[in-house]
Amino acid sequence: MTVMIEADNLTKHYGNFIGIENINFSVEEGEILGLLGPNGAGKTTCMRILTGFMPPSSGTARISGYDITTESLKARQRIGYLPETVPLYTDMTVSEYLTYMGTLRGMPTANLKERLPEVIETCGLQEYQKSFIANLSKGYRQRVGIGQAILHDPDVLILDEPTIGIDPIQVVETRQLIRSLGGKHTLVLSSHILPEVSMVCDRVIIIHEGQVVAVDTPANLSSHLQRSQRVSATINGPSNEVMPALREIQGVQDVHRDSDNPLAYLIEARLDGDIRESIAQAIVQKGWGLLELQSVEMSLEEIFLELTTTDRESQ
Amino acid sequence: MIRNIIAIAMKEIRSYFGSPMAYVIGAFFVGLTGFFFIDALSVPFPVASVRGFLDRAVVLIMPIWAPIITMRLLAEEQKLGTLELLMTAPVRDSEIVLGKFIASLVIFLGTLSFTIWFVLLLFVFGDPDIMPLLSAYVGFIMYGVAALSVGLLASSLSPNQIVAAVVGFGILVILTISQEAARQVDGVAAVILEELAINSHLEDFLRGVLSTRDFGYYLAIAAVFLFLTIRSLESRRWR
Ligand SMILES: Nc1ncnc2c1ncn2[C@@H]1O[C@H](COP(=O)(O)OP(=O)(O)OP(=O)(O)O)[C@@H](O)[C@H]1O
Ligand SMILES: [Mg+2]
């Protein structure tokens, strides 16, 4: 696997304010990387550095081996970029705009003619080809923005909050589109919508106040960061007996009843060993029915909250 | 790459002539020069030349008109945020600036071409000397080349078009009154101020004299301001 994007100790100062500090990561060919963080975390700053819009105060960034500051044109040739603000020329029609952007991206005219209808279809813009961008809704503008980013079939795609402003049905389609772009393209996208990142991305970098607080796959993030394991169990037995029985099991820290389902329990246990075995044994011993037993993953939302709050506390 | 420059210039020309403002300003320009034209001929012994109207057309109109042509070119890109796309596309900053400059020049020449009617009238009703007429036009165009570069720099400095126009106008006024200032001082300072004045280099052109010094001046002004515009764009990367 070749490394397509390399960020090496990226730091950006805005005057005295530190936008991002010592950010390191690399993205392999075909990988989809998510930058996750609350407002002002430094996601856009990172992306603006990667795309060569502004240089880092220190550190280097490489796009397929080309340094974004010293070999800027070569690096930029390989990038498709959707800025956060979705900049569009409002006095142009959709196809005029895409043609213009394609030309500036160095696409040969013949290639552009062939590719334009494809991209218009991919982005669901067929009905709006001849519309002036000024008359498009926010969501459609977003699609035109994505269209110009993927038009020239770049090796590297950098999308700053690509699904913002799109209606829920289209969000699903857009995520599928992004997902389908991975493999062939190398993607970096930013978001503060956690389920989105866990759905779309192979790997997640969580940024907070300009620093990386965690890097991992969405699945690992939820397992690693859990301080206790949580298991939901549906048990067919007298609830006044089940509760104390569960509490007695070695390792169990807490048991809650589910308010919706009288037979369901949420069990929190220490991390050593899989508590599910002991629970199953205990239930069977008592002769109750074990209807369901599964571990509950911590959602990225919870992890995120946890990470950012511990980060704050330690300061 | 030439292709980028042409693409950028074509886009700007299209969007300029696609807006009603272009025609309002164009009509205003032709009307005003028409007035100067008639006024210049309404003297006891009218001379069949363009000097009378081009003279005032340049000095009075250009400091306002040139920044109006250029004000949108880079200010709008900053306001819309499209500069971020332009600067992350594989396009050199110099290509952006040259493309925009060429667009402004084409817009300027396109509007200027309407004054051909006045020249035709001169030929129909009089017998003008061709050389001074041509040289006067060349002078006007050279002045335009310089003034548009000034306007373009101003446009790169602010996302606000009005601010860009005012700054461009301000610089051109300074370059114009520098000739007045030259009369108030003497010695080397007077020579420098006179040489710096944007309209003092027009006089020879209007008289039918083409001198390399005057060409040199306008081209130098254009080169300096276009260079500064490129630097101004580059500096956005460092903020
Ligand atoms: N041009 C600038 N000048 C000064 N400070 C800036 C500038 N751009 C960003 N910042 C600051 O740097 C920090 C990081 O900003 P950035 O836009 O990268 O955050 P973000 O993660 O993209 O946030 P959001 O989710 O709101 O888009 C913020 O505190 C912001 O105020
Ligand atoms: Mg942002």
Side-chain angles (χ1 to χ4, degrees):
Chain A
M1 275 295 202
T2 38
V3 172
M4 290 299 280
I5 306 174
E6 247 184 297
D8 189 10
N9 266 315
L10 293 180
T11 298
K12 176 77 194 178
H13 298 270
Y14 293 109
N16 288 329
F17 182 82
I18 296 169
I20 56 171
E21 196 170 25
N22 290 329
I23 300 237
N24 288 291
F25 60 85
S26 61
V27 194
E28 281 175 357
E29 193 172 0
E31 197 184 4
I32 304 182
L33 177 81
L35 292 185
L36 197 61
N39 293 128
K43 305 180 293 291
T44 300
T45 304
C46 262
M47 294 186 145
R48 286 184 160 168
I49 292 172
L50 291 181
T51 52
F53 182 58
M54 56 190 192
S57 308
S58 68
T60 49
R62 289 175 175 278
I63 302 289
S64 55
Y66 297 107
D67 189 304
I68 192 68
T69 25
T70 57
E71 296 158 298
S72 183
L73 279 186
K74 281 207 178 103
R76 281 189 262 156
Q77 260 157 14
R78 285 155 180 85
I79 299 176
Y81 177 35
L82 172 69
E84 188 172 30
T85 51
V86 195
L88 304 167
Y89 299 103
T90 47
D91 62 346
M92 290 177 119
T93 67
V94 170
S95 43
E96 276 171 3
Y97 173 77
L98 291 176
T99 307
Y100 180 55
M101 289 314 298
T103 310
L104 292 186
R105 253 65 180 267
M107 292 177 78
T109 313
N111 186 355
L112 189 52
K113 280 217 179 82
E114 204 176 297
R115 182 82 177 125
L116 194 63
E118 281 174 29
V119 168
I120 283 178
E121 199 186 318
T122 313
C123 299
L125 287 164
Q126 295 95 321
E127 285 168 43
Y128 298 92
Q129 289 183 58
K130 301 266 174 294
S131 307
F132 284 99
I133 290 171
N135 302 333
L136 294 187
S137 68
K138 169 91 178 79
Y140 277 95
R141 289 184 188 205
Q142 188 78 21
R143 295 183 198 198
V144 178
I146 295 176
Q148 64 77 28
I150 63 173
L151 182 62
H152 53 304
D153 212 6
D155 296 342
V156 169
L157 265 170
I158 295 182
L159 310 174
D160 202 347
E161 310 205 1
T163 56
I164 252 185
I166 303 185
D167 64 59
I169 302 163
Q170 297 306 330
V171 163
V172 175
E173 283 182 19
T174 309
R175 283 179 192 154
Q176 273 164 1
L177 169 66
I178 293 172
R179 191 68 242 180
S180 72
L181 292 169
K184 212 160 125 248
H185 306 76
T186 307
L187 260 100
V188 179
L189 64 92
S190 75
S191 175
H192 42 235
I193 308 166
L194 305 155
E196 170 168 295
V197 170
S198 57
M199 247 180 280
V200 173
C201 301
D202 303 318
R203 211 152 46 97
V204 184
I205 292 186
I206 297 183
I207 305 182
H208 181 60
E209 291 179 353
Q211 289 180 322
V212 173
V213 286
V215 189
D216 217 326
T217 61
N220 276 353
L221 267 182
S222 22
S223 62
H224 279 186
L225 279 153
Q226 262 174 311
R227 291 187 176 151
S228 57
Q229 52 180 322
R230 287 189 298 176
V231 172
S232 80
T234 314
I235 299 158
N236 192 3
S239 59
N240 54 342
E241 287 176 44
V242 173
M243 284 284 278
L246 288 173
R247 285 222 170 85
E248 265 164 32
I249 299 168
Q250 181 82 6
V252 169
Q253 293 169 317
D254 206 355
V255 182
H256 304 282
R257 294 281 298 276
D258 191 322
S259 47
D260 299 333
N261 181 352
L263 298 180
Y265 302 84
L266 187 68
I267 303 145
E268 272 183 57
R270 280 204 306 274
L271 266 181
D272 43 345
D274 194 334
I275 195 72
R276 284 178 296 182
E277 255 182 66
S278 328
I279 294 173
Q281 267 176 7
I283 305 293
V284 173
Q285 261 175 24
K286 299 269 184 191
W288 298 322
L290 183 56
L291 304 181
E292 202 188 329
L293 185 63
Q294 75 187 130
S295 80
V296 180
E297 297 278 304
M298 200 177 177
S299 76
L300 268 169
E301 255 106 354
E302 292 168 282
I303 292 171
F304 186 64
L305 260 173
E306 183 140 308
L307 280 169
T308 48
T309 43
T310 27
D311 190 61
R312 255 197 211 107
E313 278 158 14
S314 68
Q315 279 181 357
Chain B
M1 228 177 59
I2 299 293
R3 187 165 178 252
N4 290 339
I5 298 176
I6 293 173
I8 292 169
M10 288 299 285
K11 184 218 155 247
E12 294 305 336
I13 293 164
R14 269 205 211 105
S15 85
Y16 182 85
F17 287 111
S19 91
M21 265 307 276
Y23 301 95
V24 174
I25 292 169
F28 201 71
F29 170 76
V30 173
L32 213 58
T33 46
F35 169 77
F36 291 145
F37 176 70
I38 293 164
D39 195 50
L41 293 180
S42 313
V43 290
F45 302 100
V47 187
S49 90
V50 287
R51 190 174 167 187
F53 91 93
L54 276 189
D55 190 352
R56 281 190 283 172
V58 177
V59 175
L60 294 178
I61 298 176
M62 280 309 277
I64 299 169
W65 189 36
I68 286 179
I69 293 177
T70 52
M71 64 182 183
R72 224 185 115 261
L73 293 173
L74 287 165
E76 182 88 342
E77 301 268 9
Q78 297 173 59
K79 203 185 101 202
L80 292 176
T82 43
L83 195 62
E84 186 165 352
L85 271 187
L86 214 48
M87 291 180 73
T88 53
V91 178
R92 291 183 180 85
D93 294 350
S94 55
E95 292 167 351
I96 300 175
V97 170
L98 282 181
K100 302 270 177 181
F101 173 69
I102 288 169
S104 72
L105 201 56
V106 170
I107 292 165
F108 165 66
L109 292 176
T111 317
L112 185 63
S113 68
F114 284 102
T115 62
I116 289 294
W117 293 114
F118 306 140
V119 177
L120 288 181
L121 281 176
L122 285 181
F123 275 100
V124 171
F125 296 103
D127 183 23
D129 279 343
I130 293 196
M131 278 323 288
L133 198 150
L134 280 181
S135 87
Y137 265 96
V138 170
F140 197 162
I141 292 167
M142 291 312 292
Y143 186 110
V145 165
L148 292 169
S149 318
V150 170
L152 199 56
L153 173 69
S155 180
S156 78
L157 299 176
S158 164
N160 184 325
Q161 293 187 33
I162 305 301
V163 171
V166 170
V167 170
F169 175 68
I171 301 174
L172 288 172
V173 165
I174 290 171
L175 286 175
T176 306
I177 58 172
S178 146
Q179 193 181 28
E180 271 315 306
R183 301 203 179 110
Q184 312 298 321
V185 295
D186 40 33
V188 187
V191 176
I192 291 174
L193 286 173
E194 177 79 26
E195 278 304 312
L196 269 182
I198 194 164
N199 43 345
S200 68
H201 291 272
L202 195 67
E203 282 154 15
D204 276 352
F205 280 114
L206 292 176
R207 251 186 276 129
V209 181
L210 299 177
S211 90
T212 38
R213 256 188 50 210
D214 297 331
F215 275 108
Y217 169 82
Y218 287 124
L219 292 178
I221 289 279
V224 166
F225 278 89
L226 289 179
F227 175 74
L228 289 176
T229 311
I230 296 169
R231 294 318 296 254
S232 158
L233 275 196
E234 277 172 4
S235 80
R236 318 213 119 250
R237 295 189 195 273
W238 296 98
R239 272 177 224 162

